[in-house]
Amino acid sequence: MEPSSRRNRCDTSVEGMRPGASANSSPRPSKKIKLHWSKLRDYLGGLDSALLKLKPMVEKLAIQKTIIVLTCNRGQSELLMNFACNARAKGFDIKNVLVFATDEETEKLAGNLGLAAYYDDQFFHAIPAEGAKRYGDRNFVAMMFAKVLCVHMIVWLGYDVLFQDVDIVWFKNPLDYYHNNKLSGDFDIYFQDDGVRSIRYAPYSANSGFYFIRNNNRTRYLFTQLLYAGDLIQSWNSHQQVLAQLLSEHSSLFGLRVKVHERNTPEFPGGFHYHRRKNFMRDIVQGKQTDTYIFHMSWTENKDNKLKYFQQLGEWYVKDSCIGKTVEGILAGKAGESQLAIVEPCCSKEAIVVCHYKDKPSRIPCNDKPPIDKDGKPFWADANGKPL
């Protein structure tokens, strides 16, 4: 996910590199490498035990040999709640979703939303529970390594994987696309297009927050190599950049078949469309765009803005009374009577629509609100500023 500038919440430097980066990055400092060795020892030392625990869970969850994988910490839990509440309100079957929680509270929260959850203290104890305040900060980078581990484990068990970040909502079940070869074709791995066209992510511009893996020798080796490259993730502050490098390398050396859903196609839109394709977003909020499967709130500075954007887009389904609360706080100290204990108190059956900014896509006109971007023009207005 490409960050946005502080002033303009949509990234506009699509042709450049991040500050301090270069197209020919130098080898990693020994300190980063040794730190990664330590993490790798912990992971590989506990991997067999973890796989034994995961295997019976995954066998029960899998649909057509596929697991939908998310990873989340306490700081991002409202977005996880919104994915679950949004999906339930729309009638989607999310029984094959497995949440890799990086703290015990998030594991408990996911379970009380009716989602299967897995927490491993040996692997995840050092990951902060707080959410990232900005792209690339310490918490952000720590969660990037969790993204590597959870996918590696499921791929190593022999399953296809749909990985998605928690800032995603569904319009149609994306597995209906990937399980239909007439629609998806014959590739090893599929990615949402990030939208940027910078050297950093060349040549694929793949977004590492939404992708589908067909399990085979090529993809298992790809994600094993990504595991070994954790020092680069720490140094570059990016899981996506490292994966982009490996996609290019493995495509050339091993024949890895990569498909990126081009940004001008409607099936898998994200932040690029939210900030730069007003007509497309109007079609979505008016129900005219029927080919769209998911929407990914990428290109967004932090969780607070994601929440606001989802609210005015009409894709927010979490009641205010549950935001920032633990399971115990939500249930007021009462033990949950079922695995779905917090669904009723937290999940709205209808979208909670709130206006915040006039210049961002919204379900209803928000022309009386301020813009968030410098010189931002109303979303519900024509090129001359006349309300639509």
Side-chain angles (χ1 to χ4, degrees), residues 23-41:
N24 299 304
S25 296
S26 61
R28 299 305 94 212
S30 296
K31 183 179 179 181
K32 297 285 188 183
I33 295 172
K34 289 181 178 180
L35 178 61
H36 180 55
W37 284 353
S38 176
K39 292 181 178 180
L40 207 52
R41 277 195 296 270

Side-chain angles (χ1 to χ4, degrees), residues 2-143:
E2 188 72 5
S4 58
S5 67
R6 184 172 180 177
R7 175 59 183 162
N8 190 330
R9 296 323 194 245
C10 161
D11 175 30
T12 56
S13 304
V14 297
E15 298 304 329
M17 301 285 287
R18 63 181 170 83
S22 64
N24 299 304
S25 296
S26 61
R28 299 305 94 212
S30 296
K31 183 179 179 181
K32 297 285 188 183
I33 295 172
K34 289 181 178 180
L35 178 61
H36 180 55
W37 284 353
S38 176
K39 292 181 178 180
L40 207 52
R41 277 195 296 270
D42 288 344
Y43 176 66
L44 294 177
L47 180 59
D48 286 343
S49 174
L51 294 180
L52 283 174
K53 294 176 187 175
L54 277 169
K55 186 177 179 180
M57 290 180 63
V58 171
E59 287 174 346
K60 292 178 182 178
L61 294 172
I63 296 176
Q64 294 188 48
K65 202 68 175 175
T66 303
I67 299 293
I68 299 170
V69 171
L70 294 82
T71 187
C72 188
N73 69 354
R74 175 80 182 90
Q76 299 292 322
S77 59
E78 291 91 348
L79 294 171
L80 173 64
M81 292 173 70
N82 187 58
F83 167 73
C85 294
N86 187 303
R88 287 190 179 282
K90 296 174 181 176
F92 289 118
D93 183 356
I94 50 175
K95 291 191 179 87
N96 63 331
V97 170
L98 176 57
V99 178
F100 282 79
T102 61
D103 55 78
E104 291 179 289
E105 179 58 37
T106 303
E107 180 188 31
K108 188 186 300 184
L109 185 103
N112 279 273
L113 285 167
L115 300 172
Y118 177 81
Y119 170 70
D120 193 305
D121 185 67
Q122 181 175 347
F123 298 161
F124 299 134
H125 71 276
I127 295 177
E130 298 81 17
K133 292 181 173 61
R134 63 186 181 279
Y135 179 93
D137 72 9
R138 184 176 69 92
N139 294 354
F140 181 92
V141 176
M143 285 301 298

